[in-house]
């Protein structure tokens, strides 16, 4: 497995460009299953999760083409396998997003249950019960969701929890359902809105995306379209925190400040000076070391759980104490144990972390446990004394496009150590054995 080596101490300086949002690209790629006509999607980030989604679509029979500017052209007129296997779903839970579109368009789907992951049990009961309320016949057998339906029917659903991919799955299913679907307590995340914009450009009739009530009037069919993915607010936020922690001065281009108001307001509270225009955000730290800031995660427009680990890292070197409360996922503090190995003074009590800021962290070998936890370890490495080795960075490659290149461009000392030693061909491994 690849590792990252980071020498701490350099304030980040300069400009980089933000990539398209992974969490919008994934449902939008799944939404292409709703039409036989060609879809063109641009600003798709080059990430492992995108490759996994393309592999999943390819196995179903999608015809996919990528040009040199990473526009993806998808044609789904020859779908033959209505099946998402465990081996792909286990590496990327968002594979569940094919369930709604497959069922709506083809009347059947067999999708592996995602199971748990490092940040909690992450059930999909709301996806399943919503589709059943729309008339689907669903059983769970042998670890697979087996869904069958004639034409789905519009219903009025109040989602029992705010779920991002649950809202997206049900919204995609409702596009081809008969009649009107109302989703109350819907997720308001910008990626849900981006999906709705894409679906409407395909001929869907969706109103209210971005609010907690989404109304979808079903249509008989949708057509091909071109959609540009919105900027990645979590990537944006992660680089802003990196700049704040290192006392840097950066400009992030191709992004949008209104996607991350809650994060920007916490960065200002920490002492950052932030300047915004239509497509960029600049951050500097006039007073050097950040001040500790309390965080409570919640669904959008609240503070995103996907930024919690990065702010935990920032608080660990900030002036003062902070209380971090994780309200979205039950077990999202795996990074705390790794940060403690770098000297961070953090106590865990249930779903809160109490962080007592110290002046410097010390480099240590640490291990990434999930996507955003790994980002927090890279950030910690940027301010630690010595050389930090972050192992298992395949997690980071799932969600951050060319992270080491972007950080190098900002003046960080970082390098990737490829894992050639561990990639022994199976035949040779057997001989050695
Ligand atoms: C999405 C994001 C992820 C982010 C999360 C919360 C994608 C691909 N991933 O994940 O980066 O961290 O939103 O902002 O967009 N829940 C249930 N039953 C369900 C579904 C969810 O109980 O059927 C619970 C979950 O366990 C969790 C909460 O609802 O406690 C929110 O999860 P959800 O919004 O569904 O997360 P994802 O959509 O998987």
């Amino acid at each position: 497995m690849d590792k990252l080596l980071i020498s701490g101490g350099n304030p980040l300086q300069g400009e980089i460009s933000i990539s398209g949002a992974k969490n919008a690209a994934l449902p939008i790629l799944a939404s292409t299953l709703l039409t036989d006509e060609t879809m063109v999607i641009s600003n798709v980030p080059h990430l492992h999760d995108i490759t996994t989604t393309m592999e999943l679509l390819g196995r179903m029979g999608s015809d996919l083409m990528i040009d040199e500017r990473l526009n993806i052209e998808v044609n789904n007129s020859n779908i033959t396998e209505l099946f998402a296997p465990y081996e792909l779903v286990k590496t990327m839970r968002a594979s569940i997003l094919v369930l709604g579109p497959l069922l709506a368009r083809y009347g059947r789907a067999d999708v592996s249950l995602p199971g748990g992951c490092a940040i909690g049990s992450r059930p999909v009961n709301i996806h399943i019960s919503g589709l059943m309320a729309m008339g689907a016949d669903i059983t769970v057998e042998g670890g697979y969701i087996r869904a069958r339906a004639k034409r789905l029917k519009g219903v009025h659903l109040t989602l029992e929890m705010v779920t991002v991919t649950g809202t997206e799955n049900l919204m995609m299913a409702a596009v081809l359902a008969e009649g009107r679907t109302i989703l109350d307590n819907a997720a308001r995340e910008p990626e849900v809105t981006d999906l709705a914009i894409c679906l409407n450009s395909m001929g869907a009739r969706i109103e209210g995306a971005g609010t907690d009530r989404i109304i979808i009037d079903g249509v008989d069919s949708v057509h091909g379209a071109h959609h540009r993915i919105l900027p990645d607010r979590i990537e944006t936020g992660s680089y802003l925190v990196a700049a704040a922690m290192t006392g840097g001065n950066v400009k992030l281009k191709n992004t949008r400040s209104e996607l991350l108001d809650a994060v920007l307001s916490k960065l200002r509270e920490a002492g950052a000076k932030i300047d915004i225009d239509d497509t960029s955000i600049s951050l500097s730290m006039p007073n050097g070391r950040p001040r500790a800031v309390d965080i409570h995660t919640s669904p959008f427009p609240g503070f995103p759980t996907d930024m919690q680990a990065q702010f935990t890292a920032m608080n660990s070197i900030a002036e003062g104490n902070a209380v971090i409360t994780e309200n979205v996922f039950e077990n999202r503090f795996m990074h705390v144990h790794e940060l403690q190995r770098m000297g961070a003074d953090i106590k865990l009590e249930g779903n809160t972390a109490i962080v007592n800021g110290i002046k410097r962290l010390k480099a240590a070998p640490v291990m990434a446990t999930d996507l955003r936890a790994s980002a927090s370890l890279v950030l910690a490495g940027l301010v630690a004394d010595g050389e930090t080795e972050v192992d298992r960075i395949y997690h980071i490659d799932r969600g951050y496009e060319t992270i080491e290149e972007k950080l190098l461009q900002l003046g960080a000392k970082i390098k990737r150590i490829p894992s050639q030693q561990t990639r022994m061909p199976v035949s040779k491994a057997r001989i050695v054995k």
Side-chain angles (χ1 to χ4, degrees), residues 21 23 55 73 92 140-141 184 259 268 276 284 294 341 356 360 363 378 381 384 386 412 423:
N23 286 354
E55 185 174 347
E73 216 177 280
M92 192 192 65
V140 178
E141 288 167 20
D184 274 329
L259 301 175
R268 287 194 182 98
I276 53 182
S284 60
D294 292 342
R341 302 186 64 242
N356 179 24
R360 313 276 311 166
V378 172
R423 270 199 204 127

Side-chain angles (χ1 to χ4, degrees), residues 98-278:
V98 299
L99 178 62
L102 283 182
L103 195 57
R105 171 113 179 78
Y106 298 97
R108 56 181 292 162
D110 291 291
V111 176
S112 170
L113 270 177
C117 70
I119 62 175
S121 65
R122 301 186 77 176
V124 288
N125 57 306
I126 299 170
H127 305 230
I128 294 176
S129 61
L131 292 170
M132 287 174 80
M134 294 170 84
D137 177 15
I138 300 185
T139 51
V140 178
E141 288 167 20
Y144 277 81
I145 303 167
R146 186 174 176 279
R148 303 287 181 270
K150 296 214 170 70
R151 189 170 181 194
L152 294 170
K153 290 201 168 49
V155 278
H156 186 166
L157 291 170
T158 301
L159 308 184
E160 72 189 64
M161 281 180 85
V162 178
T163 157
V164 176
T165 49
T167 302
E168 292 166 345
N169 234 339
L170 296 172
M171 186 164 76
M172 288 190 279
V175 162
L176 295 183
E178 189 184 335
R180 171 170 282 196
T181 300
I182 301 177
L183 299 177
D184 274 329
N185 200 28
R188 290 183 276 169
E189 269 66 5
E191 294 76 21
V192 175
T193 309
D194 204 41
L195 171 64
I197 292 170
C198 175
L199 291 168
N200 281 342
S201 68
M202 296 163 73
R205 291 174 56 205
I206 302 173
E207 279 177 16
T211 74
D212 61 3
R213 169 172 277 199
I214 303 179
I215 301 172
I216 307 116
D217 283 310
V219 293
D220 290 339
S221 63
V222 287
H223 50 74
H226 173 220
H227 182 78
R228 184 177 170 81
I229 304 284
L230 89 171
D232 195 312
R233 64 196 165 100
I234 306 300
E235 188 197 24
T236 305
S238 302
Y239 286 108
L240 291 175
V241 173
M245 285 174 75
T246 58
N249 186 346
V250 300
K251 180 171 185 179
L252 308 182
K253 296 181 297 181
N254 298 327
T255 188
R256 278 167 35 198
S257 64
E258 76 275 13
L259 301 175
L260 65 167
D261 282 343
V263 170
L264 296 183
S265 107
K266 282 291 166 188
L267 284 166
R268 287 194 182 98
E269 197 182 317
K273 178 175 175 296
I274 294 174
D275 294 308
I276 53 182
D277 66 27
D278 284 354

